[in-house]
């Protein structure tokens, strides 16, 4: 156990060094420390028998004061109350049943950060959701993580198919940015693929949720205990990027790429046309058959499902399924306008303002929207204007919600004050979801950075934790839940990387089947 932890601790140390930690900031004792602009992160080894840990801090030429008593071995200390650009000393003590054990002392500096450094920090923290926060047996992304440990229905080991697919892009980015080594990343992908190969599948398609301990279906609803085509498409989008990443590697890496290829080829997209209809259906269950009978029609987050169904080398659907089903015989074309921005597509249930912003994220973590067009729309134009309309709705703020403005905008599906909701213009509950603006950064880089700066510098620990920005907030309701959802964290790390390097887009679009599928559906790509 000690050896395993030490390896983990070394990984964390490497991550801190990669983020620009100087030698002074990494202590030689049992505490690791990293200073940012507004917070310090401390980590230490667990002490056998410790009931809690007490953190003390002091500024130069002052005495130590107690900062916090916690049971965790990681602490993010937001230091706005102490000042800015500080030199701080920390010490940590383990509270045992009848004793106290010192873990040593360390000194760390907080500092001003450029926007690039801030973006790097946010991406790294969000990456940790999928690296450190993963379910241990499967390596998959947990559906949700509540930092207070209050998991609904005791489902902390339930993993998410789509959220994992999103996270795969983040894991590749983590390797490329040396947050983990190539070998460590490979082993994680190997564990995920091993798990997926043995998990329940339904004509090659996975369920929405899976029990991470054993690969069995966790029903998403009373009649939803079988294949989920859309969530599986999100997963395969990420897996194909992983395949492309490793296919020209060493023998082990090539084997992994081939195993992903087998999973890809086993997905029977034609089955989900319900007997050859010109439309794809979202669900099929061995217990309930086609009872849900939910045909996938555009426009919403599901376009990648049709692209992959047309691209399959073994079970491809004809182009008519896309044009008659998804595009509704051309009725998908809309060309409405709001705030001076045109939407070329009819967004389901939101013809004027567009739907929640995840519609411009989920299908485009790998599918590159830059210059992508078919006879219905230019998808960069659609996604950028969708984002600008959503932002302007928040800026106009007809509901008078506290905090809304140019530096706090973004409506999408997330936790809400009363549960979960697909926030969007016209269905605005005064809840901002950080993933909305952050995952839109390729479309609106300056506008999205304004939100990042505001959240980190002005809201701080209310909205930022060990896996990045929490899922949602409402200044109007003074509501700041410390909760994460994989489907919201994944697009953040993936789209930040696409903005910075285009990595996810380049990998996915390099798949020859995807190019053939896009050609079959009538897509073209021009320079943006």
């Amino acid at each position: 156990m000690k050896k395993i932890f030490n390896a983990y601790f070394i990984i964390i140390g490497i991550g801190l060094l990669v983020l620009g930690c100087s030698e002074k900031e990494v202590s030689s004792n049992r505490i690791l420390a990293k200073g940012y602009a507004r917070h310090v992160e401390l980590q230490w080894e667990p002490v056998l028998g410790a009931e809690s840990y007490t953190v003390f801090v002091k500024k130069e030429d002052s005495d130590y004061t107690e900062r916090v008593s916690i049971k965790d071995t990681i602490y993010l200390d937001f230091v706005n109350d102490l000042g800015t650009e500080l030199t701080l000393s920390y010490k940590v003590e383990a509270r045992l049943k009848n004793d106290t054990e010192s873990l040593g002392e360390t000194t760390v500096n907080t500092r001003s950060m450029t926007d690039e450094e801030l973006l790097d920090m946010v991406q790294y923290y969000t990456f940790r959701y999928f690296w450190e926060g993963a379910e241990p047996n499967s390596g998959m992304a947990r559906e949700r993580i509540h930092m207070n440990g209050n998991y609904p229905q005791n489902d902390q080991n339930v993993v998410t198919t789509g959220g994992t697919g999103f996270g795969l892009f983040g894991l590749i980015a983590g390797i490329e940015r040396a947050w983990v080594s190539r070998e460590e990343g490979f082993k994680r992908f190997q564990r995920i693929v091993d798990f997926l190969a043995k998990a329940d599948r339904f004509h090659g398609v996975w369920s929405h949720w899976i029990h991470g301990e054993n690969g069995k279906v966790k029903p998403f609803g009373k009649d939803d205990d079988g294949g989920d085509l859309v969530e599986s498409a999100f997963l395969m989008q990420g897996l194909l990027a992983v395949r492309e990443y490793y296919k020209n590697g060493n023998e082990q890496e090539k084997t992994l790429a081939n195993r992903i290829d087998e999973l890809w080829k086993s997905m029977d997209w034609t089955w989900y046309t319900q007997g050859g209809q010109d439309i794809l259906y979202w669900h099929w269950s061995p217990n309930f058959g086609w009872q849900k009978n939910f045909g996938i029609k555009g426009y919403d987050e599901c376009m990648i499902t049709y692209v992959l169904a047309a691209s399959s080398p073994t079970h491809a659907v004809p182009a008519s399924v896309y044009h008659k089903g998804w595009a509704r015989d051309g009725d998908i074309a809309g060309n409405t306008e709001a705030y001076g921005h045109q939407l070329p597509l009819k967004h389901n249930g939101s013809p004027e303002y567009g739907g929640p912003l995840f519609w411009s994220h989920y299908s485009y973590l790998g599918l590159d929207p830059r210059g992508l067009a078919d006879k219905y729309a230019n998808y960069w134009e659609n996604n950028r204007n969708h984002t600008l309309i959503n932002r302007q709705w928040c800026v106009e703020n007809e509901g008078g919600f506290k905090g809304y403005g140019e530096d706090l905008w973004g409506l999408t599906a997330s936790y809400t004050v009363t549960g979960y909701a697909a926030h969007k213009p016209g269905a605005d509950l005064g809840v901002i979801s950080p993933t909305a603006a952050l995952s839109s950064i390729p479309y609106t880089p300056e506008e999205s950075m304004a939100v990042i700066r505001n959240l980190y510098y002005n809201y701080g620990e209310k909205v930022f934790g060990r896996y990045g920005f929490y899922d949602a907030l409402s200044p109007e309701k003074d509501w700041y839940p410390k909760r994460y959802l994989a489907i919201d964290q994944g697009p953040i790390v993936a789209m930040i990387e696409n903005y910075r390097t285009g990595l996810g887009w380049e990998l996915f679009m390099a798949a020859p089947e995807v190019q053939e599928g896009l050609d079959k559906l009538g897509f073209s790509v021009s320079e943006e």
Side-chain angles (χ1 to χ4, degrees):
M1 184 69 183
K2 177 82 169 176
K3 186 182 292 184
I4 293 172
F5 179 80
N6 285 341
Y8 170 80
F9 209 58
I10 289 168
I11 291 168
I12 296 301
I14 292 171
L16 294 175
L17 286 168
V18 166
L19 284 172
C21 211
S22 70
E23 290 184 4
K24 284 186 177 180
E25 292 171 314
V26 179
S27 172
S28 61
N29 60 26
R30 298 158 69 182
I31 308 169
L32 286 175
K34 175 69 174 78
Y36 298 92
R38 291 291 187 270
H39 80 279
V40 172
E41 178 173 323
L42 303 171
Q43 295 194 33
W44 54 88
E45 296 186 35
V47 175
L48 186 64
E51 297 179 347
S52 65
Y53 301 91
T54 304
V55 177
F56 300 86
V57 66
K58 72 171 183 175
K59 298 166 69 171
E60 292 179 290
D61 302 322
S62 65
D63 296 326
Y64 275 112
T65 58
E66 182 176 328
R67 196 66 168 165
V68 71
S69 181
I70 57 175
K71 295 184 178 181
D72 204 353
T73 58
I74 180 172
Y75 174 55
L76 273 61
D77 186 18
F78 281 81
V79 296
N80 279 3
D81 60 319
L82 300 177
T84 59
E85 299 195 32
L86 303 163
T87 298
L88 298 170
S89 295
Y90 287 90
K91 66 179 181 179
V92 178
E93 295 178 353
R95 303 296 185 187
L96 308 175
K97 187 172 183 180
N98 297 310
D99 198 6
T100 299
E101 180 176 333
S102 173
L103 278 69
E105 301 181 36
T106 190
T107 299
V108 62
N109 296 315
T110 60
R111 57 189 173 83
S112 61
M113 295 170 65
T114 66
D115 279 355
E116 184 67 15
E117 289 172 324
L118 177 60
L119 193 61
D120 196 65
M121 180 197 77
V122 170
Q123 187 183 12
Y124 171 69
Y125 269 78
T126 313
F127 155 82
R128 297 200 313 196
Y129 183 98
F130 300 95
W131 185 253
E132 298 172 19
E135 194 280 323
N137 178 62
S138 63
M140 301 264 285
R142 287 184 167 101
E143 161 68 13
R144 57 176 67 95
I145 295 177
H146 291 185
M147 299 312 294
N148 60 7
N150 181 26
Y151 289 90
Q153 302 174 4
N154 196 33
D155 62 357
Q156 62 265 39
N157 291 317
V158 171
V159 298
T160 167
T161 303
T164 295
F166 302 157
L168 296 178
F169 289 98
L171 294 177
I172 297 171
I175 297 170
E176 287 295 293
R177 294 192 173 276
W179 295 333
V180 295
S181 72
R182 186 176 177 96
E183 178 63 20
E184 290 163 340
F186 170 78
K187 288 180 178 179
R188 174 62 61 85
F189 288 129
Q190 196 172 48
R191 187 190 314 174
I192 292 170
V193 171
D194 286 346
F195 176 81
L196 289 170
K198 297 174 183 177
D200 287 345
R201 281 185 286 164
F202 307 88
H203 297 273
V205 172
W206 293 273
S207 55
H208 188 125
W209 285 338
I210 307 173
H211 287 288
E213 308 98 321
N214 55 29
K216 300 299 181 184
V217 171
K218 159 80 173 179
F220 191 68
K222 64 180 181 179
D223 56 353
D224 187 1
D225 60 354
D228 187 310
L229 194 66
V230 174
E231 292 291 316
S232 295
F234 296 150
L235 174 61
M236 187 50 63
Q237 180 182 210
L239 284 171
L240 286 177
V242 175
R243 185 195 72 177
E244 293 300 304
Y245 188 68
Y246 285 117
K247 71 178 183 181
N248 295 318
N250 61 37
E251 288 306 309
Q252 279 189 316
E253 292 172 345
K254 288 178 181 177
T255 297
L256 177 63
N258 289 335
R259 294 192 65 209
I260 293 172
D261 203 52
E262 291 171 3
L263 295 175
W264 162 230
K265 290 176 178 177
S266 73
M267 297 179 74
D268 190 352
W269 304 88
T270 58
W271 175 262
Y272 287 82
T273 62
Q274 203 176 137
Q277 297 182 42
D278 277 328
I279 190 171
L280 291 171
Y281 286 85
W282 198 309
H283 315 87
W284 179 80
S285 160
N287 297 310
F288 299 97
W290 301 105
Q291 181 171 302
K292 292 190 77 67
N293 203 39
F294 194 95
I296 306 169
K297 300 177 181 180
Y299 179 79
D300 54 23
E301 77 274 23
C302 302
M303 193 170 89
I304 191 66
T305 312
Y306 279 87
V307 171
L308 290 176
S311 302
S312 170
T314 51
H315 302 285
V317 301
S320 60
V321 175
Y322 175 77
H323 294 293
K324 293 183 179 180
W326 172 253
R328 295 182 274 123
D329 262 334
D331 194 48
I332 194 173
N335 202 31
T336 59
E337 182 178 311
Y339 306 120
H341 306 295
Q342 288 189 326
L343 282 179
L345 298 173
K346 291 178 182 175
H347 288 221
N348 291 337
S350 306
E352 183 179 359
Y353 298 105
L357 276 181
F358 73 91
W359 291 3
S360 288
H361 303 153
Y362 288 3
S363 282
Y364 304 98
L365 305 189
L367 183 63
D368 187 351
R370 295 174 296 183
L372 185 69
D374 62 6
K375 64 183 181 180
Y376 309 111
N378 175 299
Y379 289 89
W380 182 265
E381 176 190 353
N382 178 77
N383 295 357
R384 175 169 163 77
N385 287 350
H386 178 206
T387 307
L388 290 170
I389 290 169
N390 191 291
R391 173 183 179 272
Q392 194 60 35
W393 170 277
C394 296
V395 171
E396 298 289 331
N397 192 16
E398 294 181 8
F401 296 119
K402 183 179 178 181
Y404 276 35
E406 292 184 352
D407 57 2
L408 192 63
W409 57 269
L411 307 178
T412 194
S414 71
Y415 279 114
T416 194
V417 178
T418 55
Y420 185 85
H423 310 101
K424 61 183 179 180
D428 184 356
L429 304 177
V431 172
I432 296 294
S433 313
T435 186
L438 272 63
S439 301
S440 297
I441 195 166
Y443 312 127
T444 53
E446 293 181 6
E447 296 88 344
S448 295
M449 276 306 307
V451 175
I452 293 173
R453 286 192 295 266
N454 183 31
L455 288 173
Y456 178 68
Y457 288 108
N458 296 322
Y459 288 85
E461 63 189 317
K462 288 184 177 181
V463 300
F464 192 85
R466 68 191 299 170
Y467 302 129
F469 290 112
Y470 297 122
D471 191 60
L473 65 145
S474 177
E476 175 73 18
K477 300 290 186 180
D478 195 27
W479 179 75
Y480 302 94
K482 295 186 176 182
R483 304 174 188 170
Y484 294 104
L485 285 172
I487 56 172
D488 287 341
Q489 298 308 104
I492 293 173
V493 64
M495 288 300 246
I496 288 177
E497 189 60 39
N498 280 334
Y499 166 65
R500 299 176 82 179
T501 68
L503 177 64
W505 289 337
E506 291 173 6
L507 287 171
F508 180 78
M509 298 297 280
E513 313 97 306
V514 171
Q515 291 298 324
E516 291 169 9
L518 289 170
D519 287 343
K520 182 168 80 173
L521 298 181
F523 281 88
S524 62
V525 179
S526 61
E527 293 293 329
E528 277 292 329

